[in-house]
C-alpha cells in the first residue's frame, strides 16, 4: 500500500513539474500577417498602494487567438517606456508589462510598432473614484448610501464593490449608482448574506472599449481603478 501511495505521489509530482516547465504556445510576430494581429491593452491603478500596472497582449485574429510574441523588429511602449515580455507558464500566457509607483499619470498612452514599421498610438482612459467618509456603519435591513468623488459614469463603465475581512473576499457585487448625485447604494439584498461584523470595503471602477487604432482586426482596451479601502461595520 505504501508503495502505491509513493508511486502515485511521485507521478503526480512529475506531471506537475513537467506542466510547470512547459513553454507557452505562441507565434512570432514576423511569422504572421501583420494585419491579423489583435492588440489588447490594460491599465490597473491601486490607490491604496499607489501602484500602476500597464500590460499589452497580442493575439492572432481575435482576443482568443494564438498568442503573439513580438520580434526584434517590433515593440510596444507605455508612456514612452518599453514594456517587458512576461511568460506566465502557470496560466499559459505571454504578455508585455510595466509597473510603476508614481502618481497616476494624466495621460495613458500605448504605442505599438509592428514588423513593417506601422505605428499605432492608443490613448486609454481611467476614472478615479474616491469614497467620501472613513468609518461607515451599515444596517443590513436598510442598506446604506455612500457618496463618492469622481467623474460621471459613462455607458462603458462598471463598478464592483468588494468587502473583505483579513484580506479574504467576503462579498463581491455590482451596487446601484446614481451618477448624477454622486452616490452609491448598497441595498439590503447586497448585504443579506454577510454576517454582522467589522470589514473593509473598496470599489473597482472599470472602463473598456473596442475603439482601438490597429490594422484589420481592431483591438480592445480596459482600465481599472481600485479605490482606497475604508472600514465598515455591518449589523
Amino acid at each position: 500500500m505504501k508503495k502505491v501511495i509513493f508511486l502515485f505521489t511521485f507521478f503526480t509530482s512529475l506531471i506537475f513539474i513537467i506542466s510547470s516547465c512547459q513553454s507557452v504556445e505562441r507565434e512570432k510576430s514576423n511569422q504572421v500577417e501583420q494585419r491579423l494581429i489583435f492588440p489588447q491593452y490594460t491599465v490597473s491603478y491601486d490607490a491604496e498602494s499607489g501602484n500602476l500596472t500597464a500590460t499589452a497582449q497580442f493575439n492572432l485574429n481575435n482576443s482568443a487567438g494564438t498568442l503573439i510574441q513580438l520580434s526584434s523588429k517590433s515593440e510596444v511602449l507605455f508612456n514612452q517606456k518599453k514594456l517587458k515580455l512576461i511568460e506566465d507558464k502557470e496560466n499559459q500566457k505571454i504578455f508585455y508589462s510595466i509597473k510603476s509607483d508614481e502618481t497616476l499619470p494624466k495621460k495613458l498612452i500605448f504605442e505599438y510598432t509592428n514588423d513593417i514599421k506601422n505605428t499605432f498610438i492608443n490613448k486609454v482612459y481611467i476614472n478615479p473614484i474616491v469614497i467620501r467618509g472613513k468609518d461607515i456603519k451599515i444596517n443590513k435591513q436598510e442598506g446604506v448610501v455612500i457618496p463618492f468623488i469622481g467623474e460621471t459614469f459613462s455607458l462603458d463603465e462598471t463598478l464592483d464593490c468588494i468587502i473583505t475581512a483579513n484580506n479574504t473576499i467576503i462579498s463581491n457585487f455590482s451596487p446601484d449608482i446614481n451618477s448624477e448625485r454622486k452616490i452609491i447604494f448598497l441595498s439590503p439584498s447586497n448585504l443579506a448574506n454577510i454576517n454582522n461584523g467589522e470589514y473593509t470595503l473598496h470599489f473597482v471602477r472599470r472602463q473598456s472599449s473596442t475603439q482601438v487604432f490597429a490594422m484589420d482586426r481592431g483591438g480592445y482596451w480596459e482600465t481599472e481603478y481600485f479605490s482606497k479601502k475604508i472600514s465598515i461595520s455591518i449589523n
Side-chain angles (χ1 to χ4, degrees):
M1 183 66 181
K2 289 183 179 180
K3 185 177 181 180
V4 172
I5 293 173
F6 172 78
L7 288 173
F8 174 78
T9 304
F10 173 77
F11 284 114
T12 301
S13 300
L14 185 61
I15 292 170
F16 174 77
I17 292 170
I18 292 172
S19 62
S20 64
C21 294
Q22 186 176 0
S23 181
V24 179
E25 182 181 353
R26 74 196 77 180
E27 291 278 0
K28 280 289 189 73
S29 63
N30 58 0
Q31 297 173 339
V32 302
E33 288 188 60
Q34 298 302 289
R35 66 182 185 84
L36 301 182
I37 296 176
F38 183 93
Q40 299 181 80
Y41 305 116
T42 62
V43 176
S44 177
Y45 182 76
D46 186 342
E48 186 77 17
S49 65
N51 291 330
L52 179 145
T53 303
T55 65
Q57 181 177 302
F58 301 91
N59 296 75
L60 191 63
N61 281 315
N62 55 53
S63 61
T66 303
L67 292 160
I68 302 293
Q69 180 177 334
L70 301 182
S71 74
S72 59
K73 294 180 180 179
S74 55
E75 66 176 5
V76 60
L77 310 176
F78 175 73
N79 286 357
Q80 299 184 331
K81 295 180 179 178
K82 190 172 182 177
L83 276 65
K84 179 183 177 182
L85 174 65
I86 305 294
E87 182 172 6
D88 181 356
K89 292 183 179 179
E90 182 178 352
N91 296 302
Q92 286 293 289
K93 286 186 176 183
I94 60 166
F95 55 90
Y96 295 81
S97 182
I98 190 171
K99 295 185 178 182
S100 170
D101 57 3
E102 300 174 1
T103 304
L104 181 63
K106 291 183 179 180
K107 294 183 179 181
L108 309 171
I109 300 174
F110 287 93
E111 183 176 342
Y112 161 54
T113 301
N114 65 18
D115 281 43
I116 55 176
K117 299 307 176 185
N118 297 134
T119 297
F120 302 94
I121 296 175
N122 284 279
K123 183 178 180 180
V124 304
Y125 303 89
I126 191 167
N127 287 319
I129 182 167
V130 179
I131 305 169
R132 298 178 63 181
K134 293 184 178 180
D135 301 311
I136 298 178
K137 298 185 184 300
I138 302 175
N139 185 319
K140 282 201 297 187
Q141 306 304 316
E142 300 175 358
V144 66
V145 171
I146 300 177
F148 71 89
I149 300 170
E151 296 292 329
T152 300
F153 277 73
S154 61
L155 294 176
D156 56 4
E157 286 186 284
T158 62
L159 185 72
D160 287 340
C161 176
I162 300 175
I163 296 175
T164 60
N166 298 320
N167 295 319
T168 300
I169 296 177
I170 303 301
S171 185
N172 184 347
F173 56 89
S174 298
D176 292 328
I177 310 164
N178 187 318
S179 195
E180 297 299 327
R181 295 177 59 193
K182 302 291 179 72
I183 57 173
I184 300 164
F185 180 56
L186 308 190
S187 68
S189 61
N190 294 146
L191 306 166
N193 296 321
I194 303 175
N195 295 328
N196 293 350
E198 306 295 322
Y199 301 94
T200 58
L201 174 151
H202 70 278
F203 293 105
V204 183
R205 182 172 184 169
R206 293 186 174 90
Q207 184 172 6
S208 61
S209 176
T210 56
Q211 300 300 309
V212 171
F213 291 108
M215 295 192 79
D216 292 7
R217 293 303 186 262
Y220 175 83
W221 65 259
E222 181 180 76
T223 60
E224 52 185 12
Y225 184 98
F226 291 76
S227 74
K228 288 187 176 181
K229 297 178 182 179
I230 63 168
S231 299
I232 62 171
S233 176
I234 297 178
N235 56 57

